[in-house]
Amino acid sequence: MSGSVSSTTTTTPRPVGGKPPVPGRQRRFSRRDRIWALIISLILVPIVLVWVYPFVWTISSSLKSTSEIFGSLSPFSPVLRIGNYTQAWREAQMGRYFFNTVFVTGFSILISVTTAALMGYALGRYRFAGKKVIIAVFALAVFLPEGYTIIPVYDLIDRLHLTGSLWGVTLAEAGGVNIVAVLLFAGYFAQLPAELEEAARVDGAGFVRTFVTVYLPLARPVTATAVIMQFLHSWNDFLLPLVLTLTRPELRTLSVGIYALRGQYLSDWGVMTAAATIALVPIIVVFLLLQRHFVESIAGAVKG
């Protein structure tokens, strides 16, 4: 019949045991939910303040004199003493130590992450005899204290005639490849589809080309995590740089240089906290830039 309009009736699914959603409205929290949120906030806020206070104290103390630091616990000061940073950078040689730390950290990241990715690729994508034993040994090596390996590492660097050089410190830092990074790479590569490898093999790609052009670009989150972990290890490490730079004080890293301030600037806590802040800021910046990839890699490895 002309003029008749055909219509189709659609039904909106109702949630089980609840009312149908109302268009244009967002879910409202019940009074019980708001109370629980308030209780959790009241518990977490003091914990956050306790956790953050040492960082705030360090940064604020770097702008004070020694008397102002110990005269009040308040992080605020009427006078900001920027000269503490100038004195730490020049007179305490933090500038030289900063360059040494950047050199050691940068090249150790390059060596360590490349090695960990290759080892993780072999463990994650290939089957071979003794694979489970190797993974078990790696897992046990995580709990091995660094102090037990300092003597053989020093002996190896000495045999390579690299003692008293930044390259020796770099190889020592990169030599203990982060086992957690290897296991993360292995778990991430294991969950990727095998069709990618088969297609690369059809195109004539070998082991290295398949790894570099196919699998490594897909492992960007795990790579970022490995960079963060190696960065934290090399930047903050104290024992290895201390032992390897005993005869060459000009090759100290920041952690060893800050420790050396304890004797030279025993009464000037403003300079010491300024030096600590110089060493702390790059860590915060790198983690903030790569934190999203860090979370993604952990989630992907656990899922795999």
Side-chain angles (χ1 to χ4, degrees):
M1 181 176 178
S2 61
S4 61
V5 180
S6 61
S7 60
T8 304
T9 303
T10 59
T11 58
T12 303
R14 293 171 175 261
V16 179
K19 296 181 180 180
V22 180
R25 293 185 181 179
Q26 296 181 350
R27 178 177 177 266
R28 294 183 177 179
F29 291 97
S30 64
R31 183 177 181 181
R32 182 180 179 182
D33 293 336
R34 291 195 296 269
I35 292 175
W36 273 111
L38 178 61
I39 293 175
I40 294 175
S41 299
L42 292 176
I43 295 174
L44 292 180
V45 167
I47 296 176
V48 171
L49 293 177
V50 171
W51 184 80
V52 172
Y53 179 77
F55 299 96
V56 177
W57 184 89
T58 301
I59 296 174
S60 64
S61 297
S62 66
L63 301 171
K64 298 179 182 179
S65 63
T66 302
S67 60
E68 291 172 343
I69 292 174
F70 296 100
S72 173
L73 294 178
S74 174
F76 304 102
S77 175
V79 180
L80 300 181
R81 305 182 185 279
I82 307 298
N84 289 340
Y85 285 91
T86 304
Q87 189 175 358
W89 187 263
R90 295 180 180 178
E91 298 181 18
Q93 300 184 4
M94 286 296 114
R96 174 182 294 180
Y97 300 156
F98 188 89
F99 170 79
N100 295 341
T101 308
V102 171
F103 182 93
V104 171
T105 303
F107 283 102
S108 67
I109 287 175
L110 180 63
I111 298 172
S112 176
V113 173
T114 302
T115 306
L118 286 169
M119 295 171 66
Y121 177 66
L123 291 174
R125 301 302 308 175
Y126 293 91
R127 295 181 179 179
F128 52 88
K131 175 179 176 179
K132 293 183 178 180
V133 176
I134 293 176
I135 294 177
V137 171
F138 279 175
L140 293 175
V142 174
F143 303 98
L144 184 65
E146 185 180 11
Y148 287 101
T149 61
I150 187 67
I151 295 178
V153 168
Y154 181 85
D155 183 66
L156 178 61
I157 297 299
D158 184 61
R159 290 175 181 271
L160 293 174
H161 304 288
L162 292 176
T163 52
S165 68
L166 286 178
W167 283 111
V169 181
T170 301
L171 289 179
E173 293 291 343
V177 177
N178 197 310
I179 304 302
V180 177
V182 175
L183 298 179
L184 284 176
F185 273 114
Y188 197 89
F189 286 136
Q191 70 177 346
L192 295 178
E195 288 78 10
L196 297 174
E197 189 174 358
E198 295 174 358
R201 190 180 296 113
V202 170
D203 292 338
F207 175 88
V208 177
R209 183 181 173 187
T210 302
F211 167 74
V212 173
T213 61
V214 178
Y215 282 96
L216 187 59
L218 297 176
R220 186 177 302 174
V222 185
T223 304
T225 301
V227 169
I228 290 176
M229 291 190 296
Q230 183 62 33
F231 176 84
L232 293 175
H233 171 73
S234 299
W235 192 272
N236 294 325
D237 195 19
F238 174 77
L239 184 58
L240 273 174
L242 175 65
V243 173
L244 295 174
T245 60
L246 286 175
T247 58
R248 298 284 301 277
E250 67 275 10
L251 299 181
R252 291 170 176 166
T253 57
L254 280 172
S255 57
V256 181
I258 294 173
Y259 173 77
L261 290 177
R262 187 175 60 94
Q264 186 176 0
Y265 294 97
L266 181 61
S267 60
D268 200 337
W269 286 83
V271 175
M272 294 179 64
T273 51
T277 303
I278 293 173
L280 179 64
V281 169
I283 298 175
I284 298 176
V285 173
V286 170
F287 185 79
L288 290 177
L289 292 176
L290 300 178
Q291 63 173 336
R292 180 173 62 87
H293 299 292
F294 180 82
V295 175
E296 288 178 359
S297 69
I298 297 296
V302 171
K303 181 180 178 181

